[in-house]
Amino acid sequence: MLTRGSILACASQIFARHYPQVCMKSTAVNDLDKTQTPVSASCSDYDNCLPFSKIPGPRGLPWFGKWLEYKLDYSKVHRRDKILKKLQSEYGDIVKETIAGRHIVHLFHPDYIKLVYESEGKYPVVPPILESVAMYRQNNDLTPGLGNSNGEVWYKLRAAVQYILLRPRKAMDFLPGQNKVAADFMDKLDGLIAENGEVPDLNHWILRWGLESAANNCFDIRMGYFKTKEGLQLGDKIIQANSDVFDLATKLYFSLPVYRIIPTPSLKKLFDQEDFINGEACKYLDDALERYKKAVESGTLTEDRFLFLTHMLQSEQVSDKDLRTIILSILTDTLSTTSQILLNNLYNLATNPEKQEIAAEESRSLLSSSGELTSAAFNSSTYIRACIKESFRLHPVGLDILRLSPCNLAIGGYQVPEGSYLCLNNYVHSLDPKVIPNAEAYIPERWLRESDRDKINPYLLTPFSLGTRMCVGRRFAEQELVLMLAKILTRYRLEWHYGKMHQRFRMLLIPDQEVKVKFIRREA
């Protein structure tokens, strides 16, 4: 049986190397209107900078850093947004935080973030968002997937996937299916609204919609996740398993890294949940491949069917293993991203009735007489997309973008060696009134007016990342968000009668409470 002493001994063997922590204020300034400390990737500037060990940050025991603080008060993990604001306020725009041997360099200033993006080259290097999930795939002879691979392997796979996911014309081919799922969900929503106008367990129903739409995109079939008894039960199991994976991955991230050499109970449970999700995804894929084969053999395969599978199967860059991992990611990513973003948007619109009415007016002009969103209408949407962007600013789905330093960088007067673990965090400055006027207010118009946009640093808000590492699901997410918001706002007026909603951190961010929006039917 492992004792606490043996666990610490194992952990120390894993990460023997550590950097001393120094508590000092960064030379970077917080006001973006003032002159910034130079940022550079040149060798001469790097040699003249203070060493990595001098990057300011909180004191802590060597190697352990802030691990014990998080261990003793796990609520600080759930409100990591507040912790990051505090770090930036105390130490400046470049901060080093150590958690059980992992040295994390937080970059808060958009200019610092810009430098990293501009230094990346053809193959940006990223650490996995969920390291424990990457371990699971490696242990089970699965390909790592786009989010966990780097170099030429990642580049070839990315090229194959982005052709259908990021090219506007290709992504638009999925709109008819997305419209059908959205229409069915709206019909379901009508029957879910209670006497007080609220939908009990709305968060979970939105997750069911996201899962249904993702499955339809992948497998060209309706799973019934919010319609049939069997579908509801299976969908809920997948949703719960995915939720457990994120909770456990967060726990492992802030724990001693013993799990890397000894399977701990948390890691075993995470692997069990991944086994279930992966098993179900493989069943769906095998069934879809069988239906695809029959359609080809019978000559009944039409251009509007199996859009995703057809392209993936025709691509020489996508192996059978790659296909299974890609399908798994698409099926579950919506649960932690698109679905949560929709909930955030419903909250922000419900708490800002004037802005909601402007969005509703645009919604009525976007939908056809049959209630569908066309590709032309999506491309013409402006205000709803501005609402989505403003929600990203106030309630991001991720606090940071992860990178490994692509080379030796000089940032804020400090040396950041190649391979350093970077968190590109623009969330703090996006709520800074010195950077964003009236920062706490929900003002979608700030993303519409040229005069306002010109004042905002383009690297201040990058929810899908930038460059070749930009989220490949971006186009699908935007289509589905505009579609669902247009449908909901055309049919309902939204109200909110509770306190301010915050977010809970579990590697990504989710609402910290049930989104109890009140749905009031609009007059026809």
Side-chain angles (χ1 to χ4, degrees):
M1 180 176 178
L2 288 175
T3 64
R4 177 171 294 185
S6 64
I7 291 175
L8 294 179
C10 289
S12 297
Q13 291 173 15
I14 299 171
F15 292 103
R17 181 168 174 247
H18 67 270
Y19 295 98
Q21 300 262 339
V22 179
C23 184
M24 56 186 288
K25 184 74 174 180
S26 168
T27 56
V29 294
N30 296 331
D31 191 340
L32 301 194
D33 293 329
K34 298 178 182 178
T35 302
Q36 298 301 317
T37 301
V39 295
S40 174
S42 71
C43 293
S44 57
D45 288 340
Y46 183 84
D47 292 339
N48 292 327
C49 286
L50 293 172
F52 183 82
S53 60
K54 297 295 184 181
I55 295 177
R59 292 184 182 275
L61 292 173
W63 186 85
F64 291 97
K66 293 190 68 178
W67 166 75
L68 185 60
E69 181 180 336
Y70 290 118
K71 178 71 175 177
L72 295 176
D73 186 1
Y74 200 68
S75 66
K76 291 184 177 180
V77 172
H78 289 160
R79 287 308 309 272
R80 186 149 176 78
D81 56 331
K82 294 177 68 175
I83 295 295
L84 292 175
K85 289 179 184 178
K86 188 172 185 290
L87 288 176
Q88 191 275 337
S89 175
E90 292 184 4
Y91 302 106
D93 287 330
I94 176 170
V95 181
K96 185 174 66 176
E97 179 188 31
T98 297
I99 305 173
R102 180 187 280 116
H103 301 291
I104 305 167
V105 179
H106 298 285
L107 301 178
F108 295 102
H109 199 283
D111 285 348
Y112 296 172
I113 294 171
K114 176 184 178 182
L115 172 65
V116 175
Y117 281 129
E118 291 182 343
S119 304
E120 288 184 325
K122 186 176 181 179
Y123 304 129
V125 185
V126 304
I129 294 179
L130 304 181
E131 179 191 20
S132 45
V133 172
M135 290 173 60
Y136 168 82
R137 293 178 181 176
Q138 183 177 12
N139 291 353
N140 288 272
D141 194 30
L142 298 170
T143 57
L146 280 171
N148 298 320
S149 58
N150 289 295
E152 191 170 351
V153 172
W154 159 80
Y155 189 80
K156 289 181 178 179
L157 186 59
R158 162 85 182 198
V161 174
Q162 75 175 8
Y163 176 81
I164 194 166
L165 293 183
L166 279 178
R167 286 169 62 101
R169 289 186 180 180
K170 289 295 179 182
M172 286 297 182
D173 290 342
F174 290 82
L175 255 181
Q178 293 166 346
N179 268 295
K180 291 177 182 177
V181 174
D184 286 348
F185 182 77
M186 291 302 296
D187 291 341
K188 183 69 177 181
L189 188 65
D190 284 339
L192 295 173
I193 300 174
E195 290 186 5
N196 64 357
E198 297 173 8
V199 174
D201 202 18
L202 177 64
N203 296 36
H204 216 75
W205 282 108
I206 295 296
L207 291 174
R208 290 164 180 148
W209 156 77
L211 191 61
E212 181 76 18
S213 193
N216 190 56
N217 289 333
C218 291
F219 308 119
D220 193 45
I221 194 172
R222 296 300 300 276
M223 303 301 297
Y225 287 137
F226 55 77
K227 229 173 182 183
T228 69
K229 181 180 179 180
E230 296 78 9
L232 277 167
Q233 291 175 344
L234 180 56
D236 286 352
K237 288 180 180 178
I238 296 173
I239 290 169
Q240 185 58 56
N242 188 72
S243 178
D244 289 344
V245 165
F246 272 86
D247 285 337
L248 291 163
T250 306
K251 180 180 179 181
L252 291 168
Y253 183 87
F254 288 91
S255 69
L256 297 177
V258 179
Y259 63 91
R260 295 184 181 178
I261 56 174
I262 302 172
T264 61
S266 292
L267 187 68
K268 288 180 180 178
K269 184 177 179 182
L270 184 146
F271 279 16
D272 287 343
Q273 302 297 65
E274 280 289 307
D275 275 339
F276 170 71
I277 299 172
N278 187 60
E280 293 301 317
C282 286
K283 286 180 193 175
Y284 303 155
L285 178 57
D286 289 340
D287 173 71
L289 290 172
E290 184 63 28
R291 288 185 289 111
Y292 178 85
K293 179 182 177 182
K294 289 180 178 179
V296 171
E297 291 175 346
S298 64
T300 59
L301 181 64
T302 55
E303 291 184 356
D304 61 338
R305 295 195 60 205
F306 296 105
L307 299 173
F308 187 77
L309 275 182
T310 297
H311 175 70
M312 291 294 105
L313 293 172
Q314 291 175 349
S315 174
E316 295 180 357
Q317 306 297 340
V318 180
S319 67
D320 289 343
K321 286 185 178 181
D322 287 331
L323 177 57
R324 294 185 183 277
T325 302
I326 292 168
I327 289 289
L328 179 64
S329 297
I330 293 177
L331 189 64
T332 57
D333 283 355
T334 184
L335 299 176
S336 53
T337 56
T338 310
S339 300
Q340 308 297 339
I341 298 166
L342 179 57
L343 287 168
N344 295 338
N345 275 272
L346 293 178
Y347 164 78
N348 281 311
L349 288 165
T351 53
N352 293 274
E354 292 183 2
K355 309 302 182 183
Q356 179 189 154
E357 290 310 307
I358 300 174
E361 183 68 24
E362 181 180 84
S363 297
R364 288 187 284 271
S365 70
L366 294 179
L367 299 182
S368 67
S369 57
S370 61
E372 294 191 345
L373 179 74
T374 65
S375 57
F378 171 79
N379 290 329
S380 69
S381 64
T382 56
Y383 197 80
I384 290 179
R385 292 165 85 169
C387 289
I388 293 170
K389 200 164 187 177
E390 184 71 343
S391 280
F392 268 127
R393 184 182 71 83
L394 293 169
H395 295 91
V397 73
L399 282 173
D400 42 42
I401 303 291
L402 302 182
R403 287 290 190 271
L404 296 180
S405 179
C407 57
N408 291 340
L409 296 175
I411 304 179
Y414 299 96
Q415 294 179 348
V416 179
E418 180 179 355
S420 298
Y421 191 103
L422 308 179
C423 285
L424 314 183
N425 186 306
N426 45 23
Y427 173 66
V428 170
H429 277 309
S430 70
L431 295 180
D432 186 345
K434 292 178 291 186
V435 177
I436 298 285
N438 205 3
E440 294 294 329
Y442 176 79
I443 307 175
E445 287 82 0
R446 70 173 90 244
W447 305 105
L448 293 174
R449 293 189 291 263
E450 291 294 335
S451 58
D452 285 350
R453 281 208 309 266
D454 290 344
K455 296 176 183 177
I456 300 175
N457 189 305
Y459 289 85
L460 188 68
L461 188 66
T462 58
F464 295 102
S465 187
L466 293 174
T468 55
R469 276 285 183 177
M470 183 175 66
C471 173
V472 293
R474 174 178 182 170
R475 189 72 184 188
F476 273 24
E478 290 177 334
Q479 284 180 190
E480 292 184 323
L481 288 169
V482 171
L483 169 61
M484 283 304 300
L485 288 173
K487 281 184 169 292
I488 290 172
L489 292 176
T490 298
R491 188 174 299 185
Y492 300 104
R493 180 167 57 83
L494 310 177
E495 291 183 358
W496 179 265
H497 299 287
Y498 299 92
K500 185 175 181 179
M501 185 186 84
H502 299 287
Q503 292 177 283
R504 181 166 72 88
F505 178 82
R506 53 171 200 179
M507 302 313 294
L508 296 174
L509 295 166
I510 61 174
D512 69 342
Q513 59 181 279
E514 186 67 26
V515 181
K516 296 181 179 180
V517 170
K518 185 175 182 179
F519 294 84
I520 302 170
R521 189 80 184 222
R522 294 181 184 273
E523 295 181 3

